[in-house]
């Protein structure tokens, strides 16, 4: 059964060992970088993102990073949808050894379920972005209830598509 757990001393070593499948390296930032970046946020006095180990029973099979953000003036979420605050799926991955087993969808749904409890405050939606050529991610997010927003931008030479899920 899929669960999300806060990263702690018990699961940390397993979390930092997570790797994406060959060919997916351009789609996901390494987990150790995500943890280091969150640490910098915290020591800088910012509220860092929420970091989770995705677990299948006792085994760590993936990683999720989400945060709560205010929509800034001119951002498409506010302009197009009237959103004021949103949870963002900053990063998400399932370890290469565990892909293709349906664990990704179960983990996305479990994370969405958690975010619907508004752990850091109320929000209008959950947002995420993915590379347009990452059809696996696209299919995963659309099958989990996300809807493409029509917003596209370029990052690191990749066309990035945005999707959202109303809360």
């Amino acid at each position: 059964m899929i669960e999300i757990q806060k990263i702690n001393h018990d699961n940390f070593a397993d979390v930092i060992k997570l790797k994406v499948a060959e060919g997916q390296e351009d789609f996901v930032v390494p987990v150790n970088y995500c943890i280091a970046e969150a640490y910098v946020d915290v020591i800088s006095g910012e509220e860092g993102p929420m970091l989770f180990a995705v677990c299948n029973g006792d085994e760590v099979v993936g990683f999720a990073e989400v945060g709560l953000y205010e929509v800034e003036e001119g951002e498409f979420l506010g302009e197009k949808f009237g959103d004021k605050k949103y949870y963002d799926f900053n990063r998400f991955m399932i370890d290469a050894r565990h892909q293709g087993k349906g664990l990704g969808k179960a983990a996305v749904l479990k994370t969405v379920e958690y975010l619907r409890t508004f752990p850091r405050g109320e929000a209008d939606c959950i947002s995420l972005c993915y590379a347009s050529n990452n059809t696996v991610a696209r299919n995963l997010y659309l099958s989990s209830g996300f809807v493409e927003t029509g917003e596209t931008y370029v990052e690191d030479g990749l066309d990035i598509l945005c999707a959202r899920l109303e809360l």
Side-chain angles (χ1 to χ4, degrees), residues 34 37-38 41-42 46-52 63-73 75-78 82-92 115 118-129 163-164 167:
C34 299
E37 189 175 52
D41 285 346
V42 171
E46 300 173 31
E47 183 173 53
M50 296 175 280
L51 307 177
F52 298 102
F63 171 79
E65 176 187 314
V66 295
L68 177 64
Y69 304 95
E70 288 191 33
V71 175
E72 296 186 19
E73 183 146 350
E75 269 190 272
F76 78 93
L77 287 173
D83 297 337
K84 305 284 187 240
K85 286 188 173 184
Y86 64 101
Y87 282 98
D88 192 61
F89 244 103
N90 299 329
R91 295 167 177 138
F92 175 77
L115 294 177
F118 302 117
R120 291 219 173 143
E122 290 198 24
D124 300 301
C125 72
I126 303 169
S127 176
L128 56 81
C129 296
R164 73 188 288 274
L167 285 173

Side-chain angles (χ1 to χ4, degrees), residues 5-45:
Q5 300 174 359
K6 290 182 180 177
I7 295 177
N8 57 43
H9 291 289
D10 294 332
N11 59 28
F12 176 76
D14 292 329
V15 170
I16 62 170
K17 292 178 189 173
L18 297 169
K19 303 283 185 224
V20 294
E22 189 174 319
Q24 296 176 333
E25 299 88 357
D26 289 341
F27 300 142
V28 182
V29 176
V31 172
N32 57 354
Y33 180 90
C34 299
I35 294 171
E37 189 175 52
Y39 173 77
V40 170
D41 285 346
V42 171
I43 64 167
S44 297

Side-chain angles (χ1 to χ4, degrees), residues 39-165:
Y39 173 77
V40 170
D41 285 346
V42 171
I43 64 167
S44 297
E46 300 173 31
E47 183 173 53
M50 296 175 280
L51 307 177
F52 298 102
V54 174
C55 300
N56 187 21
D58 292 335
E59 187 175 13
V60 174
V61 298
F63 171 79
E65 176 187 314
V66 295
L68 177 64
Y69 304 95
E70 288 191 33
V71 175
E72 296 186 19
E73 183 146 350
E75 269 190 272
F76 78 93
L77 287 173
E79 297 287 320
K80 189 171 183 176
F81 301 102
D83 297 337
K84 305 284 187 240
K85 286 188 173 184
Y86 64 101
Y87 282 98
D88 192 61
F89 244 103
N90 299 329
R91 295 167 177 138
F92 175 77
M93 60 90 68
I94 296 295
D95 187 81
R97 298 169 295 138
H98 300 285
Q99 292 180 8
K101 301 176 183 178
L103 301 178
K105 183 171 182 177
V108 168
L109 293 174
K110 186 61 80 169
T111 306
V112 166
E113 178 184 320
Y114 175 72
L115 294 177
R116 287 184 190 277
T117 70
F118 302 117
R120 291 219 173 143
E122 290 198 24
D124 300 301
C125 72
I126 303 169
S127 176
L128 56 81
C129 296
Y130 59 91
S132 63
N133 62 338
N134 189 346
T135 56
V136 172
R138 179 182 191 275
N139 293 337
L140 168 65
Y141 297 134
L142 294 180
S143 72
S144 299
F146 285 83
V147 177
E148 290 180 341
T149 64
E151 185 73 13
T152 303
Y153 64 96
V154 177
E155 181 178 298
D156 297 329
L158 295 172
D159 287 335
I160 305 296
L161 303 177
C162 300
R164 73 188 288 274
L165 175 70

